Amino acid sequence: MWLFNDPPRKQLQERYNFDATDAWLEHVQKSSVRFNSGGSGSFVSEDGLILSNHHVGADTLQKVSTKESDYLKLGFYARTLAEEIKAPDLELNVLISIEDVTARVNAAVKPSASDEEAFKARRSVMAEIEKESKDKTGLRSDVVTLYQGGKYHLYRFKRYTDVRVVFAPEQQIAFYGGDPDNFEYPRYDLDVCFFRAYEDGKPAKIQHYLKWSEAGTKDGDLVFVSGHPGRTSRLLAMSELEYTRDYRLPKTMERLNRLEVLLMSYSGRSQENARRAKDELFGVQNSRKANVGRLAGLLDPAVMAKKAADEKKLREGAASRDEFKDVVGAWDRIAAAQKLIAENARAYNLLEGGAAFHSELFGIAHTLLRAADERPKPNGERLREFVESSRDSLELGLFSDKPIYDDLEELLLSDSLTYFVAEMGASHELVQKVLAGKSPRARATELVKGTKVKDVSFRKKLYEGGKSAVDGANDPMIALARLIDSDARAARKIIENQGEAKQQAHAAIAKARFAVVGTSTYPDATFTLRLAFGTVKSYEESGKQIPPHTIFSGLYERAKEQENRPPFDLPKIWLDRKSKLDLKTPFNFVSTADIIGGNSGSPVIDRKGEFVGIIFDGNIQSLVLDFIYTDDQARAVSVDSRGIIEALRKVYRTDKLVAELTKRR
Amino acid sequence: MWLFNDPPRKQLQERYNFDATDAWLEHVQKSSVRFNSGGSGSFVSEDGLILSNHHVGADTLQKVSTKESDYLKLGFYARTLAEEIKAPDLELNVLISIEDVTARVNAAVKPSASDEEAFKARRSVMAEIEKESKDKTGLRSDVVTLYQGGKYHLYRFKRYTDVRVVFAPEQQIAFYGGDPDNFEYPRYDLDVCFFRAYEDGKPAKIQHYLKWSEAGTKDGDLVFVSGHPGRTSRLLAMSELEYTRDYRLPKTMERLNRLEVLLMSYSGRSQENARRAKDELFGVQNSRKANVGRLAGLLDPAVMAKKAADEKKLREGAASRDEFKDVVGAWDRIAAAQKLIAENARAYNLLEGGAAFHSELFGIAHTLLRAADERPKPNGERLREFVESSRDSLELGLFSDKPIYDDLEELLLSDSLTYFVAEMGASHELVQKVLAGKSPRARATELVKGTKVKDVSFRKKLYEGGKSAVDGANDPMIALARLIDSDARAARKIIENQGEAKQQAHAAIAKARFAVVGTSTYPDATFTLRLAFGTVKSYEESGKQIPPHTIFSGLYERAKEQENRPPFDLPKIWLDRKSKLDLKTPFNFVSTADIIGGNSGSPVIDRKGEFVGIIFDGNIQSLVLDFIYTDDQARAVSVDSRGIIEALRKVYRTDKLVAELTKRR
């Protein structure tokens, strides 16, 4: 997960005799696309065509679907530009430049500052840097915290907000094998979805895009993955890992299990319910399975022993050098901050994290309330999500006209209010205020039925009207947001201040690490662009060697072996056109590239910089990558460029799309 | 939920002009059958034929099924006695007599005794009464605690342990609509399963059995339900209800959600996995849905206000009478005991309740270990489940040759060990001992692969060989049981002693209640035989009047409306023979009878004492019956005797079974 401004040139040269030139790196960087809904993608034509995963596009497919036209389930193909469907609130980012602003950020924090003062100063200088940059360049500008506070880089992105759906296969084949086969291998998934970026109402003209490789990969090939890994925890201190193992993951699992059961049960009642809940249910199941794997990793004594040994080595290394004597206490400072975080995590997760108010409408109401409070403040003093440089993105989400379903809102809000009672206790003062003398179910119904924030024009009126408009609206959901806002802010403040304390300690540790271990480490993932590399490689599981590639015939065999029962049944078109397909075509493949959630949709690139595949999953053994890298069994799973093009040609007969993909300059 | 030795004669006479004669009551009582696996049933022929629910029989159907013959899923019909399949460990009980032993039980407890001494004395005298009774009558003899300790009755049962499966429909129609329609109404379920009791290798000759009513019920009819409601909480003190709302139910839900997700995920991997997990998954989903309803009941401020007002009235009533002055402190004593229970519930549930070791093999190992310790002790000093009068039942379960699947055992044990870590903390001494330096998954695999208790003859050898055999066996699962046994016993001791403290307080309250409120109350359910009554009656839901009966045509309409997708698809035979059916035949119906879990399979009986239906569910609104009775919307749901016989005749063509059911003496 290397930074593009600090690429692993030496390793690539020594181990693979590959020269990562500036031109190659720039081309890959600018061909890479971030889906701000959570995922990655790449440009694959000069006319703004973008390829990502079906499960990354699912969020948008869900929003543009209706009971009558269920594109998420049944797929979609725009035969002409006019047929392409605009996403209601999708923002894509392309990284243009990176600048190290560590010195300026750190200079703003006085050595004598308390955690709270330090946090405020840092927030302020980051907002200032971002605003300056945005004003100067017009680009989205984010200061990114790397190495848990060891470095700060200013990332500038080109934004695309007119994004349209071009092609999606049936979810049945995109997510073939469903939850049972998720994180498993061998796989047979056509997890792809094509979008097109527009500018000024026309397809965007793109200089850097990936050429399609019809040759694909073979066993042993060097491959690169350029994408946006969301979050790893490899540089965490032991006290943080223990917190993750003992509190964060179990608690997250508890909520995910609860949500999965709730959404499964709701979905079972009717086809339309299933459609409404589909994307969220997928997300919940996917996270649940990932978290089971992560937790299993932390419960493996060998993993924890390795982490403890690494920390011990670093602590001793720091202690042995005079210039790092002050670093020795950093781990204890992290442990102390983590303890305070643990004590306040419940309130934070419920009130600020939204676990008590699982409702789109509540989220909107809360944003409207806070926008009215925050926007009049000086830019540097606002909550991070309300700073000027984020305004466009905030408004894109807030004014989205995506569908919101009352029945699902009531169900989720009622359940989360019930969870709130269980977590805080029925007699807790805030709980009683929130429920206002009603049962969670009755209260949820009253709130969802009573609020007007469902109406986008109402939201705009309140947002533009500021505090007086919001206060005068007399809206029950906004009233609920107001009721909990000061407690939510208080919890957030504690977590942020302790985060700052940890950040400072990590910054000290980072310096020692660079000196003791060397600079050949990359920072933990932060949902910013990273370059990974690895080879196409088989692995052993339960005494069996798993070959790196699967082929189309394996898909038909799997369906037969599972007697075509869902989720192992095949779309009709795949049965009808089976005879047209070259069944030996590679479909999915694995590599040792270092990936994690957020990398979904990342292009897999060969030495020539061509597109040979698209990441869509990791195997079960890869889930431990959150904490520690290993290429023993951990593998990234991709759809092969050859499988995609064969399916587009022979199954979907999307000739125009195929021509665009395979056109040579 | 009236006691058969204290029936509501007066109410029945006054409200329905019905004379509940001794003969009528005896006939109903002795026609009623308890399924010790959890459920009710009734004799329906003189040749030992018993009718219960499919979902009560599912446990046995699962045990006698294999990958090749999946009777649980596909159904079963024995055309001859020889084809009937013996259940491996099913025990049925028929209540023969009830005797009030309150005075003798209470006399054994000295007024000056501590809770621990009182508990021991009570346990001892109960074991003594049971053994005396069993020695004298040969009948299973249980002292049952009623009114939370207000009364003690000796129940004598005839046991049947040679029980064979006669007929079961496909689970698809027995549980039509699956989890989505569970606890809903209108319904269309053929939730029936026929067994036959044998004695000395021949069908048991039965004096009291229910005659089949071909007339069934009509709107407004008085009906009776004779069955075994498992547990209600209507006489609990507020402190106990709050504990239930704030801790017990949320914690139970957390475990059920976790298990449901785990079993769904396992089931999704293959048809055979789905078969292996089916009965347990059904149980988990059923409990989950019931608990959601129960918790919603307790989170309804109106329900809690009513309970609080009732308690206040009783407290004030007691305080106002000199003879009950000492009762006033009873509620505080309950609250104090409940507090101690709350503090120890986690350890109790994990270690003694088995939440940390969810494994059939662990359960067997633990029973073998404890049997070796307990059996040499005097009868009155043993743990309750090891007393002489329970020996036959204990051995029936322990030596059952029901199938145990290694993969499912490993999955469940690994998950429950992970839960154990999350609940107690990874650094807890006992957790570290239990895991023995391995991850939960690795430890579970080692235990399941290493134990020999899967072998029934090995179990017998150890059970008969006693402590030296068990200690010498060197079995890893028994070693694990030994490792946690003293902590498990310690937790149990606290819970039992506090239970005793509560029992004494409730006994005092019960006396006051009889005086203040009158004797027209029945005790909370205890999985012993009770008589309920009510009328066949429609109800209103969301402004719509729901008629009491459904008919066959509604089944076909529901399947069509849900596009025949599971769980709303129909077995092929139901489609093929649709034209043979009288589609106007009543299929399911609702009544106001007071039921709860455990009543499943209870016969619904008319004034003449004939069988008019079988309870299989309650609607969502009935779930609050756990805490408070209401006939506003709460309804018991039954299969109609007319629907059963029509299906047996026209769909299944089980002529022999129909003849046996409809034969008149």
Side-chain angles (χ1 to χ4, degrees), chain A residues 169-284:
Chain A
E170 307 84 350
Q171 192 178 36
Q172 221 175 335
I173 188 69
F175 191 41
Y176 183 78
D179 179 63
D181 269 6
N182 199 11
F183 296 109
E184 303 285 343
Y185 200 76
R187 284 287 277 290
Y188 311 92
D189 288 14
L190 187 68
D191 195 350
V192 301
C193 187
F194 288 91
F195 290 90
R196 192 185 303 282
Y198 279 68
E199 283 187 303
D200 305 321
K202 278 181 230 130
K205 276 292 157 195
I206 304 297
Q207 190 190 347
H208 292 287
Y209 67 91
L210 301 176
K211 286 193 194 152
W212 199 271
S213 165
E214 297 219 29
T217 52
K218 59 181 193 309
D219 201 350
D221 276 359
L222 170 68
V223 289
F224 300 89
V225 174
S226 173
H228 305 82
R231 172 186 175 140
T232 52
S233 308
R234 295 186 198 165
L235 301 181
L236 294 194
M238 286 304 288
S239 58
E240 293 171 291
L241 287 175
E242 283 161 6
Y243 170 78
T244 305
R245 178 193 63 194
D246 296 342
Y247 182 86
R248 194 170 69 76
L249 288 178
K251 208 67 198 165
T252 304
M253 291 287 302
E254 187 190 325
R255 271 202 71 217
L256 289 171
N257 285 334
R258 182 180 182 108
L259 267 176
E260 181 166 347
V261 166
L262 189 75
L263 292 171
M264 287 286 283
S265 170
Y266 169 78
S267 298
R269 296 282 298 156
S270 75
Q271 304 265 40
E272 173 59 6
N273 281 12
R275 190 190 71 73
R276 291 179 180 189
K278 187 168 258 188
D279 182 50
E280 175 149 15
L281 179 57
F282 164 77
V284 167

Side-chain angles (χ1 to χ4, degrees), chain B residues 633-653:
Chain B
Q633 291 182 294
R635 292 293 180 275
V637 185
S638 308
V639 194
D640 195 294
S641 61
R642 291 164 291 184
I644 299 171
I645 212 78
E646 177 78 359
L648 291 178
R649 278 187 180 126
K650 310 279 182 66
V651 178
Y652 296 104
R653 299 177 183 167

Side-chain angles (χ1 to χ4, degrees), chain A residues 180-181 184 245 254 257-258 260-261 264 268-271 288 299 301 418 421 426 437 439 562-563 565 568, chain B residues 180-181 184 245 254 257-258 260-261 264 268-271 288 299 301 418 426 437 439 562-563 565 568:
Chain A
D181 269 6
E184 303 285 343
R245 178 193 63 194
E254 187 190 325
N257 285 334
R258 182 180 182 108
E260 181 166 347
V261 166
M264 287 286 283
R269 296 282 298 156
S270 75
Q271 304 265 40
R288 178 258 301 160
L299 289 173
T418 303
V421 182
S439 71
Q562 290 279 0
E563 299 171 39
R565 68 171 184 144
F568 299 101
Chain B
D181 270 4
E184 304 285 343
R245 178 193 64 191
E254 187 190 325
N257 285 333
R258 183 181 182 107
E260 180 167 347
V261 167
M264 286 286 281
R269 296 281 299 155
S270 75
Q271 304 266 40
R288 178 256 304 160
L299 288 172
T418 303
S439 70
Q562 292 278 0
E563 300 170 41
R565 67 171 185 144
F568 299 100

Side-chain angles (χ1 to χ4, degrees), chain B residues 164-178:
Chain B
R164 307 190 190 175
V165 185
V166 177
F167 171 83
E170 306 84 351
Q171 193 178 34
Q172 221 174 334
I173 189 69
F175 191 41
Y176 183 78

Side-chain angles (χ1 to χ4, degrees), chain B residues 93 96 228 272 275 302 313 321 426 454 488 571:
Chain B
N93 291 162
I96 301 301
H228 305 81
E272 173 60 6
R275 188 191 71 74
K313 186 179 153 201
R321 300 189 189 205
K454 216 175 146 178

Side-chain angles (χ1 to χ4, degrees), chain B residues 64-356:
Chain B
V64 300
S65 290
T66 61
K67 187 175 177 184
E68 292 69 35
S69 308
D70 189 353
Y71 302 128
L72 177 56
K73 183 177 176 184
L74 303 174
F76 174 78
Y77 178 45
R79 278 163 207 287
T80 63
L81 289 179
E83 284 176 20
E84 296 178 0
I85 306 175
K86 190 171 181 321
D89 53 13
L90 183 59
E91 173 174 340
L92 306 184
N93 291 162
V94 176
L95 178 60
I96 301 301
S97 71
I98 306 177
E99 189 183 322
D100 191 333
V101 293
T102 310
R104 183 167 166 196
V105 170
N106 285 339
V109 179
K110 292 202 190 89
S112 62
S114 69
D115 292 336
E116 185 172 347
E117 288 163 353
F119 175 76
K120 281 187 178 169
R122 207 179 296 275
R123 179 173 70 181
S124 178
V125 71
M126 283 163 72
E128 185 182 295
I129 294 169
E130 287 166 352
K131 185 164 189 308
E132 270 178 28
S133 167
K134 191 179 175 222
D135 288 350
K136 200 175 94 190
T137 63
L139 296 171
R140 172 177 174 139
S141 302
D142 298 348
V143 174
V144 177
T145 304
L146 300 168
Y147 299 99
Q148 273 79 7
K151 288 191 178 169
Y152 298 87
H153 288 179
L154 171 64
Y155 277 56
R156 293 195 183 93
F157 302 98
K158 185 165 170 57
R159 293 171 75 230
Y160 294 94
T161 54
D162 183 353
V163 184
R164 307 190 190 175
V165 185
V166 177
F167 171 83
E170 306 84 351
Q171 193 178 34
Q172 221 174 334
I173 189 69
F175 191 41
Y176 183 78
D179 178 62
D181 270 4
N182 200 13
F183 296 109
E184 304 285 343
Y185 200 77
R187 285 286 278 288
Y188 311 92
D189 288 15
L190 187 68
D191 195 351
V192 301
C193 187
F194 288 92
F195 290 89
R196 193 184 303 283
Y198 279 69
E199 283 187 303
D200 305 322
K202 278 181 229 130
K205 278 291 158 196
I206 303 299
Q207 190 191 345
H208 292 288
Y209 66 91
L210 300 177
K211 285 190 195 158
W212 198 271
S213 164
E214 298 219 26
T217 52
K218 59 181 191 309
D219 201 351
D221 276 0
L222 171 67
V223 290
F224 301 89
V225 174
S226 172
H228 305 81
R231 171 185 176 142
T232 51
S233 308
R234 296 185 198 166
L235 300 181
L236 294 194
M238 285 304 286
S239 58
E240 292 171 293
L241 287 176
E242 284 161 5
Y243 171 78
T244 304
R245 178 193 64 191
D246 297 341
Y247 182 86
R248 195 171 69 77
L249 287 178
K251 208 69 198 164
T252 304
M253 291 286 302
E254 187 190 325
R255 270 202 72 217
L256 289 172
N257 285 333
R258 183 181 182 107
L259 265 177
E260 180 167 347
V261 167
L262 189 76
L263 292 171
M264 286 286 281
S265 170
Y266 170 79
S267 298
R269 296 281 299 155
S270 75
Q271 304 266 40
E272 173 60 6
N273 281 11
R275 188 191 71 74
R276 291 179 181 189
K278 187 167 255 184
D279 181 51
E280 175 149 14
L281 179 57
F282 163 77
V284 167
Q285 291 185 318
N286 192 54
S287 300
R288 178 256 304 160
K289 215 158 174 178
N291 279 321
V292 167
R294 283 183 200 125
L295 185 56
L298 289 185
L299 288 172
D300 180 348
V303 170
M304 285 303 257
K306 170 81 170 66
K307 301 300 290 189
D310 287 353
E311 182 166 308
K312 186 158 175 278
K313 186 179 153 201
L314 195 53
R315 284 179 95 144
E316 290 173 355
S320 70
R321 300 189 189 205
D322 264 358
E323 74 268 38
F324 295 126
K325 275 279 188 305
D326 62 317
V327 175
V328 177
W331 285 274
D332 294 339
R333 294 199 295 278
I334 292 172
Q338 195 58 56
K339 191 161 172 285
L340 268 171
I341 289 174
E343 287 162 15
N344 291 281
R346 184 191 301 263
Y348 178 82
N349 291 334
L350 288 168
L351 302 175
E352 184 68 16

